[in-house]
Amino acid sequence: MSATSYSGVVSQTKLLGSNLNCSTHRRFPTTCRLSEGSQDLEKSTSRVFLSSCSSTSDRKNGMLLGGSHHCSPIEKRNPVGQTFCSLGVCTHSGVDVESNSHATEERVGVLLLNLGGPDTLDDVQPFLFNLFADPDIIRLPRLFRFLQKPLAKLISVSRAPKSKEGYASIGGGSPLRKITDEQADALKMALEAKNMPVNVYVGMRYWYPFTEEAIQQIKRDRITRLVVLPLYPQFSISTTGSSIRVMQNIFREDAYLSRLPVSIIKSWYQREGYIKSMADLIEKELTIFSKPEEVMIFFSAHGVPVSYVENAGDPYKDQMEECIYLIMQELKARGTFNEHTLAFQSRVGPVQWLKPYTDEVLVELGQKGVKSLLAVPVSFVSEHIETLEEIDMEYKELALESGIENWGRVPALGCTSSFIMDLADAVIEALPSATAMSTSRNTSEAVDQDPMRYVIKMFFGSILAFVMLLSPKMLVAFRNKLF
Ligand SMILES: C=CC1=C(C)c2cc3[nH]c(cc4nc(cc5[nH]c(cc1n2)c(C)c5CCC(=O)O)C(CCC(=O)O)=C4C)c(C)c3C=C
Ligand SMILES: [Fe+2]
């Protein structure tokens, strides 16, 4: 797991940094162990109370709010001053951290980041506008950034009819909000079962409940320590990267948020629990075929433009390949030796995307005589338009037309309990390394605030933008409905 934390640690944050990597409750066997962040230990002074709470919670704007609790903490001390965990029945939402002379109530928050999707067909165009207005989705050179919104308007209006057809065919909207809310509830319960009462928030990048709303709620709830968990197993600039950028912008402008200890789990595709859960789903689905050993396992990942990987250093492709390797290793260890392949789906626009493309590979496999194929969506953990429409309808039809006779598809992980339990462990492991985000502005933003430079940029930018919009590539893209 790769977790990022930020500099500017206040001494109190180190206390929890001691060790929360435990599952302790009288009703459950207790195991406490040092976590990844154990170098932050303040071994001699800290006492950590972990509370096992039953909570009532309510949901507002799709975000789970903290509930009321009843508590009488039972303290467990480590006589030699090493790290340890303890438990209790609590009267508040949170973890008490005590150090020498002062005690602070910890209110732990978990922020689930996701992409978001239109709830209704009327939401499709504004949702697409938000998506294409994101400089991490359409990466314009700095000079052209002021064009981002007009371009987003143009592309969203042009793409909306096609997109609407897709959403109409899966029930008139995206299921993402509902599924992510269910995952948030399940994660909260899993963490409570591990004696870690938390508030779980859902922050979507392009639709409701927006990340900005979730962060405001975190502030209102006076959360004292936050774990950020993007619901993308692999990191991409276009997904996790974009959401983190939004978060950082909000956090550094706010006195409270900029001091809040935060731990960001940037990617988690290599976690054993995730790999095993994926292998379980694949194994189960293989048994449905009459000759399981002859089935080709077809991993289909959401693509990104090649330039992300080759020019911007996006680790997405490497992480995806490693992820598939790990899943296949796990299957081999269980005695499943099927052939497999990886392809990338859902490309948009006139630029080159990661290859091979899913549609092209399906045709090739059909031509080569592959008869049975199990599609595995691997870049996302919820059902969404690209599984329900693109894979289940478009790609299935293409595969059958291309000579593939037996088609299957592995469901997305959703609320699979082994997966949710593993996410809960990931949160617990990340908690100790939470540190405050840096408050400094970067220099390129300081340049943006120089009025003279701004005027010069706008002037030359406008000329270049006009030329670019009329470029043959763009015109062809719109004419061929590539957006
Ligand atoms: C790992 C997952 C995803 C990556 C990487 C990603 C990159 C990416 N996507 C677009 C364009 C669109 N994405 C759309 C929807 C959409 N994309 C993802 C996931 C990843 N995108 C999800 C989960 C969804 C939401 C699906 C839902 O159910 O609502 C759409 C809208 C749908 C459509 O019209 O096809 C677009 C457009 C780009 C350009 C990009 C990388 C640069
Ligand atoms: Fe996408």
Side-chain angles (χ1 to χ4, degrees), residues 23-35:
S23 61
T24 50
H25 194 286
R26 268 175 302 185
R27 280 176 288 147
F28 308 110
T30 300
T31 46
C32 294
R33 61 188 170 85
L34 286 175
S35 60

Side-chain angles (χ1 to χ4, degrees), residues 213-269:
E213 298 172 58
I215 292 172
Q216 287 317 312
Q217 192 60 50
I218 286 168
K219 211 178 145 181
R220 280 195 289 275
D221 291 347
R222 309 307 294 174
I223 290 298
T224 60
R225 185 170 287 258
L226 182 68
V227 175
V228 178
L229 176 58
L231 286 175
Y232 309 98
Q234 307 84 10
F235 180 94
S236 167
I237 294 168
S238 60
T239 53
T240 299
S242 169
S243 286
I244 292 175
R245 185 178 52 76
V246 166
M247 258 194 65
Q248 281 172 329
N249 289 344
I250 301 170
F251 272 54
R252 77 167 159 226
E253 297 299 329
D254 185 285
Y256 162 76
L257 293 169
S258 61
R259 285 193 210 103
L260 176 65
V262 179
S263 182
I264 302 177
I265 302 172
K266 284 172 74 182
S267 63
W268 39 270
Y269 65 91

Side-chain angles (χ1 to χ4, degrees), residues 36-48:
E36 279 172 6
S38 55
Q39 63 270 32
D40 281 343
L41 293 181
E42 287 191 356
K43 288 182 179 167
S44 57
T45 56
S46 64
R47 288 185 294 144
V48 181

